[in-house]
């Protein structure tokens, strides 16, 4: 089946630093979604990307849908302690635009004050 | 506008008992998805339902697991004769018809003793 590979697996940064993480796949995705999960909670949608090459921002977060449709990245600028959590990329499986999502394994972000 | 609601948030069962997990989608959403998350892993798709219909159950174990989304009331994920390996967080997500974006509930954390 389709797989999404996220890197890095974990990051330890100082408050105020910028963060970049990415997600790659061996097959094409028509939609890329970025979620954040806090401990004991469900994933919260951060950014949705629907078009190859699209660059979308949400506050300090910026994400891009790769031109090849096989990758996406998420940047967080000027990190703050509440950015701590696990970041997941996800996309609808099987070349569809909706339905079951395939998730990456997550990037664990730790921010030191 | 209330988000996706799941209950209970925590459920403890002994081996051999039944577990029933409930999910109420966001208002106006007619599509429901169930995912399972093991510790330190990403979410894995289980089943996709619309009202009174199972659309995709390719991620459901063949035995002991069932799901429904009746015309009235919440979606139910039922696990019969639970085993320790069923211990996990179970998340429900909902979306409007034919929309890629899924919104997640807070999850039910099942512990099998």
């Amino acid at each position: 089946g389709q797989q999404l590979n996220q890197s890095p697996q974990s990051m330890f940064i100082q408050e105020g630093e910028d963060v970049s993480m990415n997600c790659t796949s061996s097959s094409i995705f028509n939609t890329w979604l970025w979620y954040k999960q806090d401990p004991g909670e469900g994933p919260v949608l951060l950014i949705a990307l629907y078009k190859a090459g699209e660059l979308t921002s949400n506050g300090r977060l910026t994400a891009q849908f790769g031109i090849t449709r096989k990758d996406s990245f998420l940047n967080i600028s000027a990190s703050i302690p509440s950015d701590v959590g696990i970041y997941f990329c996800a996309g609808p499986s099987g070349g569809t635009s909706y339905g079951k999502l395939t998730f990456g394994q997550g990037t664990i972000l730790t921010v030191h004050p | 506008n209330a988000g996706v609601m799941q209950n209970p948030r925590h459920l403890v069962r002994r081996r051999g008992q039944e577990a029933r997990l409930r999910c109420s989608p966001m208002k106006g959403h007619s599509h429901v998805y169930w995912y399972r998350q093991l510790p330190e892993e990403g979410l894995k798709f289980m089943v996709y339902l619309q009202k009174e219909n199972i659309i995709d159950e390719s991620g459901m174990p063949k035995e002991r697991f069932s799901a429904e989304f009746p015309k009235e009331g919440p979606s139910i994920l039922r696990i019969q004769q639970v085993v320790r390996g069923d211990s996990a967080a179970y998340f429900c997500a909902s979306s409007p018809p034919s929309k890629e974006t899924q919104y997640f509930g807070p999850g039910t954390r099942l512990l099998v003793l």
Side-chain angles (χ1 to χ4, degrees):
Chain A
Q2 290 179 305
Q3 283 188 314
L4 293 176
N5 298 306
Q6 285 187 248
S7 65
Q9 281 190 303
S10 60
M11 304 181 74
F12 298 83
I13 62 170
Q14 290 293 132
E15 183 177 358
E17 289 183 0
D18 296 345
V19 172
S20 183
M21 59 189 78
N22 65 60
C23 189
T24 60
S25 171
S26 58
S27 52
I28 287 171
F29 278 77
N30 292 321
T31 299
W32 287 91
L33 305 169
W34 284 93
Y35 289 89
K36 178 182 181 238
Q37 185 177 28
D38 290 329
E41 299 296 330
V44 173
L45 182 67
L46 298 174
I47 292 181
L49 301 159
Y50 301 109
K51 191 175 170 184
E54 180 181 357
L55 184 72
T56 297
S57 293
N58 177 9
R60 294 179 295 106
L61 278 60
T62 301
Q64 184 158 29
F65 191 146
I67 288 289
T68 65
R69 294 198 282 159
K70 292 183 178 181
D71 62 345
S72 176
F73 72 74
L74 175 70
N75 285 345
I76 305 172
S77 62
S79 58
I80 58 178
S82 62
D83 290 334
V84 164
I86 306 176
Y87 291 80
F88 291 101
C89 62
S93 308
T96 62
S97 295
Y98 62 94
K100 65 183 181 184
L101 294 178
T102 295
F103 277 78
Q105 73 273 38
T107 293
I108 302 171
L109 178 64
T110 303
V111 179
H112 294 289
Chain B
N1 185 17
V4 178
M5 298 173 66
Q6 290 188 248
N7 67 83
R9 292 289 303 270
H10 300 274
L11 183 61
V12 179
R13 285 287 178 265
R14 296 192 181 279
R15 281 180 295 169
Q17 291 184 320
E18 179 180 288
R20 281 189 178 230
L21 289 60
R22 296 175 194 78
C23 169
S24 296
M26 287 178 71
K27 188 175 181 181
H29 288 193
S30 56
H31 295 218
V32 165
Y33 311 80
W34 286 92
Y35 295 81
R36 177 163 61 178
Q37 185 179 34
L38 296 172
E40 300 185 11
E41 292 189 9
L43 281 73
K44 297 287 194 290
F45 169 79
M46 299 180 75
V47 63
Y48 165 26
L49 310 106
Q50 293 178 24
K51 287 282 187 182
E52 299 184 283
N53 279 312
I54 296 175
I55 306 301
D56 182 349
E57 56 182 349
S58 58
M60 285 277 271
K62 294 288 183 253
E63 297 178 351
R64 302 187 298 108
F65 285 72
S66 62
E68 62 177 9
F69 189 16
K71 188 176 179 182
E72 301 290 338
S75 174
I76 306 285
L77 178 67
R78 183 183 178 204
I79 311 173
Q80 295 177 287
Q81 299 176 318
V82 296
V83 301
R84 289 209 173 117
D86 296 332
S87 295
Y90 292 83
F91 292 97
C92 168
S94 72
S95 72
S98 299
K99 290 294 183 184
E100 306 85 351
T101 306
Q102 296 177 23
Y103 297 88
F104 283 81
T108 294
R109 276 138 191 92
L110 173 65
L111 176 62
V112 180
L113 301 176

